[in-house]
Amino acid sequence: MGSLMDTQIMNIVDQPQSLEISNIPSETVGDVHVDHPRMTARNVNVFYGDKCAIDDVTLDIAEKQVISFIGPSGCGKSTFLRCLNRMNDTIDTCRIEGTIALDGQDIYAPHVDVVPLRARVGMVFQKPNPFPKSIYDNVAYGPRIHGLASRRAELDDIVENSLVRAGLWDEVKDRLGQPGTGLSGGQQQRLCIARAIAVSPEVILMDEPCSALDPIATARIEELIHELSAEFTIVIVTHSMQQAARVSQRTAYFHLGKLVEVGETEQIFTKPQHEMTHNYITGRFG
Amino acid sequence: MSQIAHTSSAFTQDLEDLNMVVVRLGRLASRQLNACLRAMSDFQANRVDMLIERDIELDELEIQVNEMVLSIITMRAPRADDLRRVLASAKAAQSLERIGDYARNTAKRTKAIMAGDPDNLPWDQLIEIGTMVASMIDDVLVAHELGDLEAAQAIRNSDVHVDKLHTAFFESVIAEMEAGNLAPLVGAHLLFIGKNLERIGDFTTSLAEQVLFIETGETIEPNRPKADRTSWMIDEA
C-alpha cells in the first residue's frame, strides 16, 4: 500500500508541466454548487510535504447522482477522491486545508472517528481486493464490525440483499462458503461493491473500478453503478471518458490539482466551456 | 476552439482527409453548376453531356464521405467540435450531392430547350440567379475551411436575394406564357430550372448553417429571412 501511495505522490510531484499553467482558470468554470448536496468541499488544498497536490477546490457532490472525476494522470482526481473519506490520513506527509462536509458535518472535525465515516463513505478500488475469506464473510465483515446485525438470520439477510443489489447473488448463492479470491475479476469487483453497500453507506467512492476488467465485466459494473445511483451517491474516478459519459450525470475535470471545469456530463462532452477541458476530452493533450 | 493537434496524429489526419473530400465534393458541385451556367450562355449542348456524365463523381464522393464518417466515429470516438465536424460533414456531403442533382436536372432541361428555339428566352435572369448561388457555394466552402462564422452568417442571410430573384423570374415567365409568347412546355422547363437554382440556394444556406453548428455547437433556428412567394401565388383574374 505504502509503495503504491508513494508512486502516486511522485506522479503528482514530478508531473511534467506540459500544458500551460497560465491557462488554468483562477476559478472553476461551471456551477460547482447543486441543489441537494450530500457532500460539500470548500476551498480544499492538499499538500504532500511542500508540494500542493490539490489547489483550492470547491465542489458539491449531489445526492443520489453519479459524478465522474476526469483528468490526466497526476491531476489530483484520486487525491481529491481519497479526501472524501479521509483515506489520505494514512499518509504522514499529507496535509489538508479547507472544509469537507458530509450532510453538513465537517468530516475532518477532531471528534470524527474515521471508521464509521468510512462506513458512511465507502470505497471501491481500482484492483478488486476481496479479503482472503469466504464470499459470505467478505460481505458480512462490515456489518459485523459495525454491529449492524444481532442475529445470524439478520446477517444472512444483509449478505443476500447486498449480493443481490451488487448483481452477484445468482452467481454465488450456491457457493457462499468458497473463497472470494476464487471469483473472476469482474465478480470480485462486484463482491467488493457488495461489501461496500453491506454497511448501508450514503456515498460510494470508486477509484477506476473497471480499469482491471474486461469489456463485459466493465459493462456489468457500469450497469450496477446506474442501478445503485437510485440509492447511493456515487463518485467515480475514471480514465475512460466513454465511461464517464455513460455512467455519470455530472463530470468534473481536474488539471494540475485544480478543478478546471464542472458541469452536466452531456455539456462537458459536447460543449465544454474551457479550452483545457476541450483539449483533454477531444484528445489534444499538448 | 483549439489549434492544438490531437495527440493521435492519425486522428488529426483522418479529420483533415475528411475535410479534403468534403471540399473536393463542394468544388465539383460548384464546377457542375458553373458548367451549366456556361451552357446557358453559349448554347453548347456538349457541356451539358459532360456535366451529366460527371454527376456520378459527386455520388461516389458522397459515399466516400459517409464511409469516412462511419470509420472516424467507430475508430476515434470524436467529441465536442470534432464530433460536430464529423456529423456536419455527412450532412454537408448530402447537401452538395443534392446541389449536383439540381445542376444535372437544370442541365437536362437546358438541353431540352436548346433542341428547340433557345433564342429570346430569359436566360439572363436564370444566369443571374445561378451566378449568385454559385458564388454562395464558393463562399461557403471557404467559410467551411476557415471556420468563418461571420461569412457563414452572411451567406445564410443572402439567400433572401436568391428568393427575390426567383420570384421575379417566376412572375415574368408566367406573364410571358399568359401572353402567348412562351410555349407551355418551354415555360414549364424554365420554371423548373428557376426552382432548381432556388433550391441550390437553400442547400447552400444549409451548408452555412453547418459551419455555424460546427463552430458554436448551436443548432440554428429555422427563422432565416425568406422571400420566395411563388408557392402562394394564385391566378387572380
Side-chain angles (χ1 to χ4, degrees), chain B residues 22 25-26 28-30 32-33 36 51 54-63 66 89-109 133 137 192-193 195-207:
Chain B
V22 171
L25 177 54
L28 184 55
S30 171
Q32 291 285 84
L33 178 59
C36 189
L51 186 159
R54 294 202 73 174
D55 186 63
I56 194 167
E57 291 179 41
L58 287 162
D59 297 341
E60 288 169 353
L61 285 172
E62 188 199 5
I63 291 168
N66 287 337
S89 294
K91 197 163 181 182
Q94 190 177 31
S95 294
L96 290 165
E97 192 275 334
R98 294 295 292 139
I99 287 172
D101 284 347
Y102 279 114
R104 182 184 60 177
N105 184 267
T106 298
K108 284 179 178 174
R109 292 180 187 281
V133 293
I137 295 171
F192 273 112
I193 290 173
K195 187 63 185 171
N196 286 349
L197 296 175
E198 190 271 335
R199 290 296 293 144
I200 290 175
D202 287 344
F203 279 107
T204 308
T205 60
S206 169
L207 292 168

Side-chain angles (χ1 to χ4, degrees), chain A residues 71-269:
Chain A
S73 294
C75 69
K77 56 190 187 297
S78 288
T79 296
F80 185 69
L81 183 84
R82 287 197 299 268
C83 290
L84 299 178
N85 72 346
R86 295 183 54 172
M87 290 294 285
N88 289 323
D89 286 12
T90 57
I91 303 169
D92 291 341
T93 58
C94 184
R95 179 167 55 87
I96 295 169
E97 297 175 349
T99 309
I100 298 177
L102 172 64
D103 295 328
Q105 293 180 318
D106 183 0
I107 65 170
Y108 284 90
H111 65 275
V112 172
D113 182 347
V114 295
V115 175
L117 170 69
R118 288 177 192 151
R120 293 174 68 194
V121 185
M123 191 146 190
V124 175
F125 294 88
Q126 182 174 0
K127 195 175 169 197
N129 58 350
F131 302 139
K133 292 172 175 288
S134 69
I135 294 167
Y136 183 97
D137 285 340
N138 261 277
V139 184
Y141 182 82
R144 276 190 185 123
I145 65 165
H146 290 289
L148 300 181
S150 54
R151 293 177 295 112
R152 171 75 189 205
E154 214 173 331
L155 192 57
D156 289 350
D157 284 346
I158 292 175
V159 170
E160 178 177 342
N161 186 262
S162 301
L163 287 168
V164 167
R165 286 192 292 173
L168 192 59
W169 175 250
D170 288 340
E171 294 162 60
V172 301
K173 62 186 177 188
D174 299 324
R175 47 176 172 146
L176 292 174
Q178 293 181 12
T181 49
L183 298 172
S184 71
Q187 288 172 325
Q188 286 187 25
Q189 196 63 306
R190 279 182 281 145
L191 178 62
C192 293
I193 292 172
R195 188 176 66 192
I197 63 181
V199 291
S200 300
E202 295 163 51
V203 181
I204 304 173
L205 310 178
M206 297 185 171
D207 194 355
E208 300 184 53
C210 302
S211 62
L213 305 182
D214 69 26
I216 295 169
T218 296
R220 297 199 67 165
I221 297 289
E222 288 180 0
E223 177 60 16
L224 183 56
I225 291 169
H226 173 70
E227 289 169 9
L228 293 175
S229 65
E231 271 183 90
F232 305 101
T233 298
I234 298 174
V235 187
I236 178 170
V237 164
T238 178
H239 272 126
S240 163
M241 285 181 271
Q242 303 280 34
Q243 182 169 72
R246 285 191 296 261
V247 304
S248 62
Q249 287 80 53
R250 290 176 87 220
T251 295
Y253 171 65
F254 288 79
H255 189 83
L256 293 176
K258 296 283 280 190
L259 177 54
V260 174
E261 183 170 350
V262 64
E264 299 292 321
T265 295
E266 186 176 333
Q267 176 258 313
I268 292 289
F269 286 104

